[in-house]
Amino acid sequence: NAGVTQTPKFRVLKTGQSMTLLCAQDMNHEYMYWYRQDPGMGLRLIHYSVGEGTTAKGEVPDGYNVSRLKKQNFLLGLESAAPSQTSVYFCASGGTQRAQYFGPGTRLTVT
Amino acid sequence: EDQVTQSPEALRLQEGESSSLNCSYTVSGLRGLFWYRQDPGKGPEFLFTLYSAGEEKEKERLKATLTKKESFLHITAPKPEDSATYLCAVQAAGGSYIPTFGRGTSLIVHP
């Protein structure tokens, strides 16, 4: 039981480049989330999904897209990276009235 | 709008010096309150869920309590390995299961 895994762990991008972050969970959770965490800002919700094939916007969705084609996977895409997207990205999964279980994070730097 | 305020922002303790962290919240009906621990460079790790006023949960040196307006995380005789950032989150009743996070309390326990 791996819990929540994220790929990659680290990435450096140049402004304008694109990339996809992959999140996988093996706990059969319906809900999955993408957060970014910046110093002094706490966790901010980017997008979330309430089930396979569904996605919804969170607090800071601009510049990001997501897809949930399979229940266990949740992808976060950056189409044209900007320095303001330099951050640590966390994926989480959970269910109704359940706590969230977080992945180890992806540290992204955009130069 | 749901709000979560954690205090203090930072706390330094000597080993064995007991203290409490506070999480004040404003929600239109509480579905659940969650405590997490986050170590540097890692994702938040779930500690406790509290559902109703008067409820208490314990784990080793940690004890979480809940009232109608706030939750406390009591740390008894802390050790250096308890050093971490502690996050509080609430889920409001009704609607989607999207939690609101506080910005956390950074705890350092000196030997």
Side-chain angles (χ1 to χ4, degrees), chain B residues 31-49:
Chain B
R31 175 178 279 142
L33 184 143
F34 307 90
W35 281 100
Y36 296 85
R37 169 190 171 128
Q38 186 174 22
D39 292 301
K42 296 189 177 182
E45 175 186 355
F46 168 66
L47 292 174
F48 304 110
T49 306

Side-chain angles (χ1 to χ4, degrees), chain A residues 31 33 35 37 40-43 45 48-50 90 95-105 107, chain B residues 31-32 34 36 38 41-46 48-49 51 87 89 91 95-99 101-103:
Chain A
Y31 279 65
Y33 314 78
Y35 291 92
Q37 188 175 43
M41 299 295 293
L43 284 166
L45 184 64
Y48 66 98
S49 168
V50 302
F90 289 104
T96 59
Q97 283 192 291
R98 293 178 201 166
Q100 292 175 306
Y101 293 87
F102 286 81
R107 188 173 297 274
Chain B
R31 175 178 279 142
F34 307 90
Y36 296 85
Q38 186 174 22
K42 296 189 177 182
E45 175 186 355
F46 168 66
F48 304 110
T49 306
Y51 294 106
L87 299 171
Q91 278 189 4
S96 61
Y97 294 84
I98 305 302
F101 277 86
R103 295 194 176 184

Side-chain angles (χ1 to χ4, degrees), chain A residues 50-105:
Chain A
V50 302
E52 181 178 318
T54 74
T55 63
K57 294 180 180 180
E59 179 186 357
V60 289
D62 293 341
Y64 305 95
N65 57 76
V66 288
S67 64
R68 183 112 180 256
L69 299 179
K70 294 182 178 181
K71 186 177 183 178
Q72 64 267 33
N73 295 337
F74 196 29
L75 278 63
L76 178 71
L78 286 72
E79 293 185 344
S80 180
S84 60
Q85 294 178 305
T86 293
S87 187
V88 181
Y89 292 86
F90 289 104
C91 175
S93 71
T96 59
Q97 283 192 291
R98 293 178 201 166
Q100 292 175 306
Y101 293 87
F102 286 81

Side-chain angles (χ1 to χ4, degrees), chain B residues 39-84:
Chain B
D39 292 301
K42 296 189 177 182
E45 175 186 355
F46 168 66
L47 292 174
F48 304 110
T49 306
L50 301 167
Y51 294 106
S52 58
E55 190 174 359
E56 299 182 351
K57 294 275 180 71
E58 285 189 68
K59 180 180 180 180
E60 296 181 354
R61 294 176 293 282
L62 300 177
K63 179 180 177 180
T65 62
L66 181 66
T67 72
K68 290 187 177 180
K69 294 183 178 180
E70 57 192 350
S71 176
F72 291 94
L73 185 65
H74 306 278
I75 304 176
T76 302
K79 297 182 178 182
E81 52 262 43
D82 294 322
S83 297

Side-chain angles (χ1 to χ4, degrees), chain B residues 1-55:
Chain B
E1 182 180 336
D2 302 336
Q3 289 190 331
V4 177
T5 303
Q6 292 188 245
S7 61
E9 290 186 13
L11 181 62
R12 293 178 179 270
L13 299 173
Q14 288 298 127
E15 184 172 2
E17 179 187 2
S18 301
S19 188
S20 297
L21 282 56
N22 178 264
C23 172
S24 297
Y25 63 90
T26 304
V27 292
S28 55
L30 180 68
R31 175 178 279 142
L33 184 143
F34 307 90
W35 281 100
Y36 296 85
R37 169 190 171 128
Q38 186 174 22
D39 292 301
K42 296 189 177 182
E45 175 186 355
F46 168 66
L47 292 174
F48 304 110
T49 306
L50 301 167
Y51 294 106
S52 58
E55 190 174 359

